[in-house]
Amino acid sequence: MQELHYSRPTTVADAVVALARPDARVLAGGTDLIVQVRENRRQVAHVIDLKRIPELNAITRQADGGWRIGAAASVGRLGRDAAFAAEHHALLDSARLIGSLQIQNRASLGGNVCNAAPSADAVPLLICLGARGVVAGPGGRRTLPIVEIATGPGRSSLAAAEILVAIVVPAQTGRWAAKYLRFTPRREMDIAIAGVGVWLQLDQQSAITGAAITLASVAPTPLVAAAAQTLLVGERLSPKLIAAAAQSAADEARPISDTRGSADYRRQLVAVLTRRALEACAGELGIHGT
Amino acid sequence: MKIVVTLDVNGEPRQALADGRDTLLQLVRDQLGLTGTKEGCSNGNCGACTVLLDGEPVCACLVLAAEAQGAHVTTIEGVAVGNALHPVQAALIKFGGTQCGFCTPGVVLSAVALLDRVAVPSDADIRYAIAGNICRCTGYGKIVEAIQAVATSRQEASR
């Protein structure tokens, strides 16, 4: 069995240097990586533990009202930040669908993004909220929208020696609400057959000024339902509008059939979940009769 | 290459030699001989290996031994005080919340962590807290009753 070397850098710069080896992998929560390494599904000779780098563990509210979440901060720690939990309960609820409490006490939002599973539960709302990733590599730092990180199942646009340092959730303005809903055969400890994240922003007259819909488990990556978003903006929520957006999202989905569900079933789930998520946002925003 | 891991286990400083691939579960069971922590699925689904790492429940099979450097770990051997069972352990016996017993150490630690954090947990809080501890014997009802009883008696005692 291949030996595994463990290192624990305390700066991003040291981590980037350590990651230059082709057989190195970064370790955050480890809930995916440790299983893959121990079952010999992934050939790794060096694990670089990011949890002792202060910047990767910090959860801070920025001066402009946005949040900067260290890529290795656990979901459990995020939930214990009362100010974050109050403002971003929808995002937190989606992250709390990841495994059990034991898993959440290790697993990070950064890992959920970088593992690039189409079913990643915390990613749709990060995309809906306009979150960006701060990435460090040998050439310095860059930021990119979270939606541009996953390129396929388990594949990301990050270069081999790049590290996701933080996720920045921009300040949300006006009247807004978000909701992620998924369907799983079991309520806990399961992988979504389909998931839908919705974000809505309204003006004082309750016209929709912003809408975002991102689908999970129905494409090789989290999928933005752009046509459904366009249908909503400028309109007022009504049962008819919600039905049209839900149908559009279902049409935009590109699901496959596998052991967990057929493509047709997944499409129907997208329609139902989109409708329910929009209704949930409407309810939170005090709009009734939808 | 072996790594010297120094950590606090159940309030005592311990040191162990670990391989890079070793998990905290292997360290606790094989190096320290604390076999109350059970190995079930080895991939984070069953919760039989639950320990408290710096006070929070985690699956010891998903933590590298090397990651536990300097950590405070509580295993099932560390929850009783002398010969007195922890109230959660006593309640599980009283309510019949344990049958084959394989999941019980993990259930106890999840419940202890919940009761440390939440003064008056609801039925839903309790069920969520033990959702990561798979039990194939009890059907969970008696486990939930036992944890609820500990919370209730603790509340009455504090009045």
Side-chain angles (χ1 to χ4, degrees):
Chain A
M1 210 186 306
Q2 192 176 17
E3 245 198 285
L4 191 66
H5 298 270
Y6 170 88
S7 65
R8 192 170 39 216
T10 54
T11 67
V12 172
D14 287 350
V16 168
V17 170
L19 192 58
R21 307 178 56 106
D23 52 1
R25 269 308 270 190
V26 292
L27 171 73
T31 55
D32 286 300
L33 183 66
I34 291 172
V35 176
Q36 290 165 1
V37 168
R38 291 186 52 81
E39 293 179 355
N40 291 313
R41 284 189 280 131
R42 194 186 273 279
Q43 295 307 311
V44 178
H46 293 260
V47 288
I48 301 152
D49 188 351
L50 303 176
K51 290 189 293 294
R52 309 271 169 133
I53 304 173
E55 186 180 1
L56 273 92
N57 257 326
I59 299 166
T60 47
R61 185 170 204 154
Q62 299 186 296
D64 67 357
W67 285 89
R68 186 183 170 100
I69 304 161
S74 71
V75 170
R77 274 198 50 225
L78 200 56
R80 288 189 285 278
D81 188 310
F84 182 86
E87 185 176 346
H88 282 296
H89 55 89
L91 177 58
L92 196 56
D93 284 348
S94 72
R96 281 178 168 158
L97 293 168
I98 302 169
S100 59
L101 281 182
Q102 288 95 319
I103 302 297
Q104 291 163 29
N105 281 327
R106 302 297 286 172
S108 62
L109 279 194
N112 205 225
V113 169
C114 292
N115 281 327
S119 58
D121 285 312
V123 176
L125 283 190
L126 284 175
I127 292 172
C128 287
L129 291 162
R132 296 177 68 84
V134 179
V135 172
R141 291 192 174 209
R142 65 185 177 112
T143 73
L144 76 172
I146 292 296
V147 70
E148 290 176 14
I149 292 183
T151 55
R155 292 201 312 273
S156 92
S157 64
L158 269 57
E162 283 187 318
I163 295 170
L164 181 66
V165 171
I167 294 166
V168 177
V169 180
Q172 305 295 312
T173 54
R175 292 169 70 193
W176 68 276
K179 188 76 180 173
Y180 174 76
L181 293 174
R182 68 171 189 176
F183 182 79
T184 52
R186 286 183 300 187
R187 199 179 57 194
E188 312 285 357
M189 303 286 287
D190 209 344
I191 296 168
I193 294 178
V196 177
V198 164
W199 170 89
L200 275 185
Q201 186 196 49
L202 305 183
D203 67 13
Q204 289 311 313
Q205 286 73 45
S206 295
I208 299 169
T209 49
I213 300 178
T214 304
L215 315 178
S217 285
V218 290
T221 64
L223 183 74
V224 174
Q229 294 176 174
T230 306
L231 277 178
L232 291 166
V233 175
E235 304 293 326
R236 278 188 166 68
L237 281 173
S238 67
K240 202 175 152 191
L241 182 68
I242 288 174
Q247 187 55 50
S248 175
D251 292 342
E252 290 174 79
R254 291 186 278 121
I256 56 166
S257 295
D258 66 14
T259 56
R260 290 184 298 115
S262 69
D264 284 346
Y265 183 49
R266 286 188 153 106
R267 254 184 227 289
Q268 288 188 36
L269 284 173
V270 167
V272 171
L273 295 171
T274 303
R275 173 172 61 75
R276 289 182 186 168
L278 284 167
E279 288 169 352
C281 289
E284 195 179 320
L285 293 165
I287 297 175
H288 301 290
T290 53
Chain B
M1 193 185 71
K2 295 278 184 184
I3 306 154
V4 181
V5 181
T6 305
L7 71 174
D8 176 298
V9 180
N10 300 328
E12 287 177 26
R14 304 295 294 260
Q15 210 165 54
L17 272 183
D19 186 77
R21 297 175 72 92
D22 285 353
T23 61
L24 178 59
L25 175 61
Q26 289 168 304
L27 182 140
V28 161
R29 283 184 60 90
D30 303 341
Q31 306 282 324
L32 303 181
L34 298 171
T35 54
T37 306
K38 302 304 178 193
E39 177 169 24
C41 68
S42 300
N43 61 21
N45 277 301
C46 79
C49 66
T50 300
V51 299
L52 304 186
L53 183 65
D54 296 325
E56 297 297 331
V58 301
C59 293
C61 74
L62 292 184
V63 179
L64 292 175
E67 288 181 88
Q69 188 74 260
H72 290 258
V73 175
T74 305
T75 69
I76 189 64
E77 289 86 351
V79 299
V81 180
N83 287 326
L85 291 177
H86 187 282
V88 170
Q89 293 173 302
L92 284 169
I93 294 170
K94 183 178 168 193
F95 285 83
T98 178
Q99 287 181 32
C100 87
F102 196 81
C103 73
T104 307
V107 168
V108 169
L109 288 160
S110 286
V112 167
L114 171 72
L115 293 168
D116 282 349
R117 200 173 60 242
V118 184
V120 190
S122 66
D123 198 70
D125 290 338
I126 294 171
R127 286 182 180 273
Y128 190 79
I130 62 168
N133 296 91
I134 306 298
C135 172
R136 296 295 80 173
C137 301
T138 63
Y140 303 102
K142 292 171 190 299
I143 296 176
V144 174
E145 276 176 48
I147 299 169
Q148 196 80 72
V150 176
T152 306
S153 69
R154 190 174 63 172
Q155 241 183 303
E156 281 164 3
S158 70
R159 263 181 208 142

